[in-house]
Amino acid sequence: MQTVETLNEGLKRAFTLTITAKDIDAKVDVELKRLAPQMKMPGFRPGKVPANLIRKMHGPALTQDALNAAIQESVQTLVAEKQLRPAMQPSVELEDGYDLGKDAVVKVEMEVLPQVPAPAIDGIKLERLTVPVADDAVTEQLQKFADQQKKWDDAADDYAAAMGDLVTVDFVGKTADGVAFDGGTGTDMGVELGSGRLIPGFEDQLVGVKTGDDKVLNVTFPEEYQEKSLAGQPATFDITVKSVKTAGESKIDEDLAKSLGLESLEQLTGLLKGQIEQEHNGLTRTHMKRKLLDQLAEGHDFEVPPSMVEAEFNQIWSQLQHEATHEADPEAAMAEMEGERDDYRKIAERRVRLGLLLSEIGQANGVEVSNQEMQRLLAQAAQQYPAEQRQQFMQYVQQEPMAAAQLRAPLYEDKVVDFLFEKAEITDREATREELEAAIESEDGFASGTHTHDHDNHKPKKKAAAKKAKPASDETASDDAVTGEAPASDATEEAKPAKKAPAKKKAAPVEAETAVTESSPVAAENAEGTEAADAPAKKPRAKKAPTKTEA
């Protein structure tokens, strides 16, 4: 193989590789010797087919396969001999006009990882906001459990429903001109009056109804309602009251604990206190991690590979587009995104830079993910797939270094962060949960730091989407049109076999803290080798990451 460097500018590298016809033919001979004992052909005993006959019949296919293998080996040799660290999958392209049996000229282009300056990790000072678990917070959680376990008693037929009661209804929703609309019809829907789960005015107008009543409710759909044809429009609901129930007393006692499968109220209280404490610790870590990354970002500025920034930006943008489709006004959400495109690109650049920094710190200090930890990660990730596809997913990760790196990277990042916490000078200050949440909230947005959330992409400030309310029990579950929420998408993608992970049975989009975690597994592990072309006649592409679909 002959190698000529054609570009060495900044982080960009380009080479021309010439693979001789002799080298390619030698690989064909090796393959012929391997195949000959297995070949069967009329007129010849098994394994006795002459090599020249096999070459005559299968020569073009064998030569094509040999060329593919030669290109891949050549790129790997180039990376090793030049001690290159590709930031992303190299671009490999066979020169136009190639004919089988001739020398092959291959163009290889890539961006390499920068020489990251030794990160300054001494002198890091952090404040740890600690939140003790207040007794009233535990009591509040106990009361929620008690409310969820409360029993409903049938009211007398002449009893008039009041706030706090459970009214079961059949309903038909109609537009102002009396036409029933899609999603506006339901039966046996439980409505807990005063819960605030339904569109404004719906619950209030059920106060005073009795079992067997028929009533017409007049409401107006919220302006942000996802079904545009109904948003902001008046409507009526023809209601038939099936039953009215009153709530039994909610008690915090031993029976409550036993109804949850526990031995005692003391055990339930302890579990809830531990859960709240864990939530507080998570908030504390989020705040500390942001401050740590801010200090690293402020103290280091170096060129990062544009291809990595572009990949990170595309990942962020793709998730934003997905979220925009679920907004009340997708077009307005997209327009707002476009106005912030430059900010998001700066966020992507920062994430890549922080990813490279954390990778450098981890390698310099022996931080690594053990095989045992990796196996645990793999088993946990496989649980997100249907049972029949878990083995396929595990094989995919084991065969694809990039997929394995993506799976490993979040834990790798956390271990590096923990290492830095150990090195930092930390002062503790007690705070309330409200103060801690306010401190985290004040850091939201590009203008206040440009960093990202723990496992959630940090965005320029924008109006938060309203969250769906969850019913307290199955009896209070309600229809989409009445709650004012549009149904979630059921789009799923069928898994494809060859080295592609199966579609997850459920996957909420998750963004990472830094680029180490998602878009730059090569940076996270500083991989020494990359795979080359799948076929020499076209520009090879990196193998696809596992497909993430909504279920």
Side-chain angles (χ1 to χ4, degrees):
M1 179 184 73
Q2 299 174 0
T3 303
V4 178
E5 186 176 62
T6 58
L7 177 66
N8 188 331
E9 182 179 307
L11 299 178
K12 295 182 178 180
R13 302 287 186 275
F15 302 87
T16 297
L17 309 181
T18 301
I19 306 172
T20 65
K22 181 179 178 181
D23 290 339
I24 298 171
D25 200 52
K27 289 185 177 296
V28 173
D29 288 339
V30 171
E31 187 66 6
L32 281 172
K33 290 179 181 178
R34 186 186 71 83
L35 291 175
Q38 308 169 30
M39 295 296 293
K40 295 180 180 179
M41 189 176 294
F44 296 93
R45 287 180 295 168
K48 298 298 182 180
V49 181
N52 62 339
L53 187 56
I54 298 174
R55 180 186 285 270
K56 183 177 180 180
M57 294 184 64
H58 302 287
L62 291 173
T63 302
Q64 187 73 51
D65 290 343
L67 178 59
N68 290 350
I71 290 177
Q72 181 167 315
E73 289 178 13
S74 297
V75 175
Q76 291 173 344
T77 299
L78 169 70
V79 169
E81 289 183 350
K82 300 290 185 180
Q83 297 183 335
L84 301 171
R85 298 193 304 162
M88 301 288 286
Q89 191 83 359
S91 165
V92 182
E93 188 171 7
L94 185 65
E95 193 174 71
D96 292 339
Y98 172 74
D99 293 323
L100 292 178
K102 295 185 178 181
D103 292 350
V105 179
V106 180
K107 297 177 181 178
V108 181
E109 298 178 354
M110 70 184 77
E111 287 176 349
V112 297
L113 294 175
Q115 291 298 319
V116 180
I121 61 175
D122 293 325
I124 295 176
K125 296 182 180 181
L126 298 170
E127 182 179 53
R128 179 166 48 206
L129 300 182
T130 59
V131 181
V133 179
D135 291 340
D136 58 351
V138 178
T139 302
E140 182 181 347
Q141 289 299 316
L142 284 170
Q143 188 60 54
K144 287 181 179 178
F145 272 107
D147 290 342
Q148 291 172 2
Q149 297 299 317
K150 65 186 174 186
K151 294 186 169 86
W152 297 98
D153 301 321
D154 290 326
D157 289 345
D158 60 351
Y159 173 80
M163 283 295 177
D165 293 341
L166 182 68
V167 179
T168 302
V169 300
D170 292 345
F171 61 91
V172 177
K174 300 177 182 179
T175 59
D177 54 5
V179 178
F181 52 81
D182 290 342
T185 302
T187 59
D188 295 325
M189 181 182 73
V191 182
E192 186 176 350
L193 304 189
S195 65
R197 295 190 179 93
L198 306 186
I199 55 179
F202 195 99
E203 295 173 20
D204 294 341
Q205 294 178 65
L206 290 178
V207 172
V209 299
K210 301 175 183 179
T211 301
D213 282 356
D214 291 321
K215 187 173 183 178
V216 177
L217 309 185
N218 294 286
V219 299
T220 300
F221 279 95
E223 292 289 344
E224 65 275 10
Y225 187 58
Q226 295 190 29
E227 175 52 55
K228 290 185 177 181
S229 63
L230 297 175
Q233 298 300 311
T236 62
F237 282 91
D238 296 341
I239 298 294
T240 298
V241 180
K242 306 288 284 293
S243 68
V244 178
K245 298 182 179 182
T246 58
E249 185 180 359
S250 299
K251 293 182 179 181
I252 301 176
D253 54 16
E254 297 293 331
D255 289 338
L256 171 63
K258 290 177 181 178
S259 71
L260 297 170
L262 302 176
E263 295 181 357
S264 65
L265 180 60
E266 181 181 3
Q267 184 185 13
L268 174 59
T269 302
L271 288 172
L272 287 176
K273 184 174 182 179
Q275 183 182 40
I276 296 172
E277 191 173 48
Q278 188 175 13
E279 291 174 2
H280 290 175
N281 291 340
L283 292 171
T284 295
R285 179 183 172 84
T286 295
H287 182 255
M288 282 182 63
K289 185 173 180 180
R290 290 189 184 181
K291 293 297 186 183
L292 170 67
L293 295 179
D294 279 347
Q295 291 189 41
L296 288 175
E298 291 167 4
H300 302 86
D301 186 17
F302 52 87
E303 184 182 8
V304 293
S307 59
M308 291 179 68
V309 175
E310 186 66 21
E312 189 66 29
F313 172 78
N314 288 340
Q315 179 179 305
I316 294 172
W317 200 253
S318 177
Q319 173 147 347
L320 290 171
Q321 289 177 319
H322 170 84
E323 293 172 355
T325 61
H326 291 82
E327 293 283 353
D329 189 344
E331 292 183 4
M334 287 295 294
E336 183 180 359
M337 283 168 48
E338 287 293 341
E340 298 168 341
R341 179 183 284 269
D342 290 342
D343 287 345
Y344 285 114
R345 193 170 292 280
K346 290 176 183 177
I347 290 172
E349 181 177 337
R350 173 186 162 108
R351 286 181 61 178
V352 170
R353 185 173 290 109
L354 282 171
L356 295 174
L357 277 171
L358 291 179
S359 176
E360 189 71 20
I361 292 169
Q363 291 184 70
N365 293 279
V367 177
E368 59 183 20
V369 175
S370 67
N371 289 333
Q372 184 177 4
E373 289 172 326
M374 188 62 191
Q375 290 303 313
R376 185 166 61 249
L377 287 174
L378 184 58
Q380 290 172 347
Q383 294 302 312
Q384 300 178 63
Y385 294 83
E388 65 274 11
Q389 293 182 341
R390 289 172 189 166
Q391 187 61 35
Q392 180 187 350
F393 168 75
M394 296 179 75
Q395 290 176 350
Y396 167 81
V397 174
Q398 291 166 352
Q399 294 170 1
E400 295 293 340
M402 294 287 283
Q406 285 182 332
L407 187 63
R408 183 190 300 110
L411 177 58
Y412 180 79
E413 175 186 307
D414 280 341
K415 295 185 79 166
V416 175
V417 168
D418 287 337
F419 167 78
L420 291 172
F421 283 165
E422 293 175 2
K423 295 277 293 182
E425 179 183 332
I426 297 176
T427 56
D428 290 300
R429 178 166 68 87
E430 191 172 297
T432 65
R433 177 166 181 153
E434 291 72 23
E435 289 172 337
L436 179 54
E437 289 177 337
I440 294 173
E441 181 67 22
S442 69
E443 296 164 3
D444 283 352
F446 178 82
S448 61
T450 74
H451 49 70
T452 56
H453 289 291
D454 267 312
H455 307 298
D456 189 14
N457 180 52
H458 201 149
K459 306 168 185 177
K461 276 193 179 294
K462 59 188 293 185
K463 185 176 179 181
K467 294 181 180 178
K468 288 186 180 181
K470 295 182 180 179
S473 67
D474 290 339
E475 286 186 291
T476 60
S478 54
D479 188 88
D480 289 327
V482 185
T483 60
E485 296 287 352
S489 170
D490 289 327
T492 56
E493 183 174 332
E494 188 175 347
K496 298 178 182 179
K499 291 191 178 181
K500 185 175 181 180
K504 289 184 181 180
K505 62 182 178 183
K506 187 175 184 179
V510 175
E511 289 288 344
E513 177 73 33
T514 67
V516 157
T517 328
E518 290 289 338
S519 71
S520 61
V522 177
E525 301 299 323
N526 277 337
E528 293 298 331
T530 58
E531 294 198 22
D534 291 328
K538 63 180 181 180
K539 183 176 180 179
R541 299 183 182 275
K543 291 182 174 62
K544 292 184 179 179
T547 303
K548 296 181 180 179
T549 59
E550 293 290 328

